[in-house]
């Protein structure tokens, strides 16, 4: 039989949407497709498979679960010419796993689950010999290779320790410190046991889809943990935005102390976001440049949750609103320009004019804003440094200038309309 026809017949046969053994609807299809993605890379999915998925997407639409719909939307993004950051990171599917039931994780907890999964993935990789790094193969050779080039033992151990510290930050009690301490001197053979102690998604329908939210475009080892780290960043910024939104509500209710508490909590979450950079710094630049050529059009500049956090703090300057930072996220820009949109700055100034608090209370809130501004600036600076290491002089995958663009962003301030917040007592 003609090999191309045989492949077409093979993918034509996967149209069955019900799973085997009582699995939830669509899982069987999604797992079959994911296996192919892990074998070839999403960028290299065979055309017959993509055509079959397009047919499935248009057939029996009323019978599809929301999870399968989101999965297919992400899987067909390149095929349909709408590839961007959200679909690269499978965010439409990942976000469905949040808040569906009382047992579903909140965004901060989801970030913990994502990085716990990184630890399990890394400990399942074969431990390489301590030999000089091999040169990367040409794309076709790499795609056909079973060896996806896991990191050397030193790099791997560093990555695992950074990941474990991130996870332990969200665990309760002294067991978290004990776990990190034990891992510091654990032989490699113990890491699989450590990984099994970490949180997992619950055994619900949503939990079954968790493993299907990583769809690398290429086949090199480091892209898996890179995707999980970016997803965790999105979850952290979702949580930060929620706290900033709660701060606005508290200000509108005249609860200044509660507003300060929410701002402090948002600032603390920036420490978690910065910790992810330490883990990403273990990615090998050769791997990054190899898979990055297939991610053009998907960029962190398209992060809606980060921009949503920004516009909740205060309206950006007119120049920033006109820049690629916001033209790349038109839905968030629309929110910022809506009449009903509220910000911390606006709510604070309104409260300042209408309510009486002593100066210590005002200063406490302003100091909280100053702390958030400072953590945000530190996060941006770390991001720029990491990008300089990974990108060098290359342009950004979102068609920006790359590192120079990030350097320019250091001048942006969240609360520029208020001047220096620390101890100011009143708006400047």
């Amino acid at each position: 039989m003609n090999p191309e026809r045989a492949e077409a017949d093979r993918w034509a046969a996967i149209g069955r949407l019900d799973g085997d053994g009582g699995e939830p609807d669509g899982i069987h299809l999604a797992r079959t497709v994911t296996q192919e993605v892990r074998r070839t890379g999403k960028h290299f999915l065979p055309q017959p498979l993509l055509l079959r998925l397009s047919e499935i997407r248009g057939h029996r639409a009323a019978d599809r679960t929301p999870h399968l719909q989101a999965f297919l939307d992400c899987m067909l993004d390149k095929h349909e010419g709408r590839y961007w950051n959200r679909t690269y990171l499978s965010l439409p599917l990942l976000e469905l796993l949040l808040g569906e039931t009382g047992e579903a994780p909140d965004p901060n907890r989801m970030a913990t689950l994502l990085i716990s999964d990184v630890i399990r993935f890394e400990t399942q990789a074969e431990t390489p010999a301590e030999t000089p790094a091999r040169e990367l193969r040409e794309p076709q050779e790499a795609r056909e290779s079973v060896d996806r080039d896991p990191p050397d033992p030193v790099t791997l151990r560093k990555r695992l320790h950074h990941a474990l510290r991130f996870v332990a930050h969200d665990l309760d009690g002294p067991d978290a410190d004990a776990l990190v301490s034990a891992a510091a001197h654990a032989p490699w053979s113990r890491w699989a046991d450590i990984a099994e102690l970490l949180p997992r998604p619950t055994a619900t329908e949503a939990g079954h889809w968790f493993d299907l939210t990583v769809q690398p475009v290429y086949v090199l080892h480091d892209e898996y943990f890179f995707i999980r780290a970016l997803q965790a960043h999105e979850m952290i910024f979702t949580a930060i935005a929620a706290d900033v939104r709660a701060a606005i509500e508290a200000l509108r209710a005249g609860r200044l102390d509660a507003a300060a508490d929410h701002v402090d909590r948002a600032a603390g979450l920036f420490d978690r976001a910065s910790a992810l950079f330490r883990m990403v710094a273990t990615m090998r630049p050769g791997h990054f440049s190899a898979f990055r050529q297939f991610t053009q059009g998907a960029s962190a500049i398209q992060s809606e949750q980060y921009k949503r956090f920004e516009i909740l703090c205060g309206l950006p300057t007119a120049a920033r609103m006109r820049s690629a930072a916001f033209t790349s996220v038109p839905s968030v820009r629309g929110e910022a320009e809506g009449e009903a949109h509220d910000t911390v700055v606006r709510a604070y100034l309104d409260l300042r004019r209408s309510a009486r608090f002593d100066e210590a209370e005002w200063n406490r809130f302003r100091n909280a804003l100053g702390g958030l501004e400072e953590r945000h600036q530190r996060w941006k600076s770390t991001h720029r440094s990491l990008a300089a290491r990974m990108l060098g002089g290359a342009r950004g995958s979102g068609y920006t200038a790359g590192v120079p663009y990030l350097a320019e962003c250091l001048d942006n301030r969240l609360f520029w309309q208020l001047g220096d917040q620390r101890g100011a007592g009143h708006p400047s």
Side-chain angles (χ1 to χ4, degrees):
M1 179 184 289
N2 182 296
E4 292 184 359
R5 178 55 186 273
E7 184 180 31
D9 289 345
R10 173 188 172 210
W11 294 120
I14 71 166
R16 195 162 51 92
L17 293 187
D18 55 312
D20 291 330
E23 288 182 309
D25 217 24
I27 284 284
H28 177 71
L29 170 65
R31 284 179 174 161
T32 302
V33 174
T34 298
Q35 287 175 359
E36 184 68 7
V37 170
R38 304 289 172 82
R39 187 181 72 84
T40 68
K42 180 177 168 180
H43 186 82
F44 299 95
L45 286 177
Q47 192 70 4
L49 171 58
L50 294 170
L51 292 173
R52 183 60 183 139
L53 293 180
S54 294
E55 291 174 5
I56 292 170
R57 193 162 169 263
H59 178 60
R60 292 176 61 194
D63 296 339
R64 282 201 304 271
T65 67
H67 301 92
L68 180 59
Q69 175 70 44
F71 176 84
L72 292 174
D73 284 348
C74 295
M75 196 57 59
L76 291 167
D77 56 356
K78 280 178 170 276
H79 179 65
E80 296 177 348
R82 50 180 180 75
Y83 176 67
W84 67 311
N85 193 55
R86 278 184 60 78
T87 53
Y88 173 54
L89 300 181
S90 296
L91 292 180
L93 177 55
L94 195 61
E95 288 167 356
L96 281 177
L97 312 188
L98 295 171
E100 290 188 328
T101 68
E103 296 181 351
D106 62 24
N108 191 40
R109 184 63 169 181
M110 178 63 83
T112 299
L113 296 177
L114 292 165
I115 303 306
S116 295
D117 182 63
V118 166
I119 295 173
R120 282 188 286 271
F121 173 79
E122 297 291 346
T123 55
Q124 289 166 3
E126 292 185 9
T127 310
E130 297 207 40
T131 55
R134 61 179 67 83
E135 294 183 3
L136 294 177
R137 292 172 281 270
E138 292 301 314
Q140 182 64 29
E141 293 172 320
R143 284 189 284 116
E144 292 178 351
S145 172
V146 175
D147 177 14
R148 308 227 173 164
D149 198 17
D152 64 86
V154 174
T155 300
L156 181 56
R157 184 173 287 273
K158 185 182 298 184
R159 182 176 301 169
L160 287 169
H161 280 294
H162 285 314
L164 186 60
R165 289 190 186 98
F166 180 91
V167 171
H169 184 275
D170 191 43
L171 302 181
D172 295 326
D175 289 346
D177 292 335
L179 187 63
V180 173
S181 178
H185 306 290
W188 175 251
S189 59
R190 284 277 299 134
W191 270 96
D193 296 331
I194 292 171
E196 287 304 309
L197 298 175
L198 303 181
R200 291 179 180 271
T202 56
T204 61
E205 179 180 356
H208 291 306
W209 288 90
F210 179 83
D211 291 339
L212 307 178
T213 56
V214 180
Q215 306 296 344
V217 295
Y218 198 37
V219 296
L220 291 175
H221 180 94
D222 282 5
E223 191 183 358
Y224 186 102
F225 102 88
F226 178 68
I227 289 174
R228 283 302 198 209
L230 293 185
Q231 290 171 333
H233 251 118
E234 291 298 303
M235 293 298 108
I236 292 295
F237 276 112
T238 301
I240 291 173
D243 262 316
V244 175
R245 193 176 287 109
I248 295 171
E249 293 173 359
L251 288 170
R252 291 301 182 194
R255 297 182 293 115
L256 192 59
D257 277 348
D261 289 341
H262 284 295
V263 172
D264 284 340
R265 195 151 42 238
L269 285 171
F270 261 101
D271 288 341
R272 286 205 94 193
S274 296
L276 289 169
F277 284 141
R278 289 191 284 275
M279 188 176 71
V280 173
T282 67
M283 183 167 58
R284 291 160 288 177
H287 274 214
F288 183 54
S289 62
F291 68 74
R292 185 175 176 272
Q293 62 185 304
F294 307 117
T295 65
Q296 291 302 316
S299 168
I301 197 175
Q302 298 160 343
S303 170
E304 291 181 330
Q305 293 302 338
Y306 172 71
K307 301 302 192 321
R308 194 161 280 120
F309 148 73
E310 187 175 349
I311 67 169
L312 285 168
C313 290
L315 286 181
T317 63
R320 181 154 173 81
M321 288 292 287
R322 291 192 301 267
S323 72
F326 280 91
T327 58
S328 64
V329 286
S331 64
V332 180
R333 184 180 180 182
E335 290 175 25
E337 294 172 340
E339 291 184 5
H341 180 67
D342 205 357
T343 70
V344 168
V345 169
R346 185 177 297 162
Y348 165 74
L349 292 176
D350 286 350
L351 184 64
R352 183 80 196 185
R353 287 188 288 265
S354 65
R356 288 185 175 277
F357 292 92
D358 62 42
E359 285 305 305
E361 291 174 293
W362 290 119
N363 283 342
R364 192 218 159 188
F365 180 73
R366 295 278 297 231
N367 284 338
L369 295 186
L372 180 57
E373 188 84 78
E374 180 183 337
R375 303 283 183 88
H376 179 231
Q377 285 297 113
R378 193 185 310 159
W379 176 87
K380 288 192 296 182
S381 179
T382 304
H383 185 196
R384 185 197 61 79
S385 298
L386 180 59
R389 175 176 175 267
M390 294 293 176
L391 285 176
R395 292 184 64 81
S397 54
Y399 310 114
T400 67
V403 177
Y405 166 80
L406 295 176
E408 292 174 6
C409 289
L410 293 176
D411 293 333
N412 299 324
R413 293 294 187 274
L414 299 170
F415 305 107
W416 60 276
Q417 293 164 299
L418 298 180
D420 181 14
Q421 283 76 50
R422 288 191 178 276
H426 56 82
S428 57

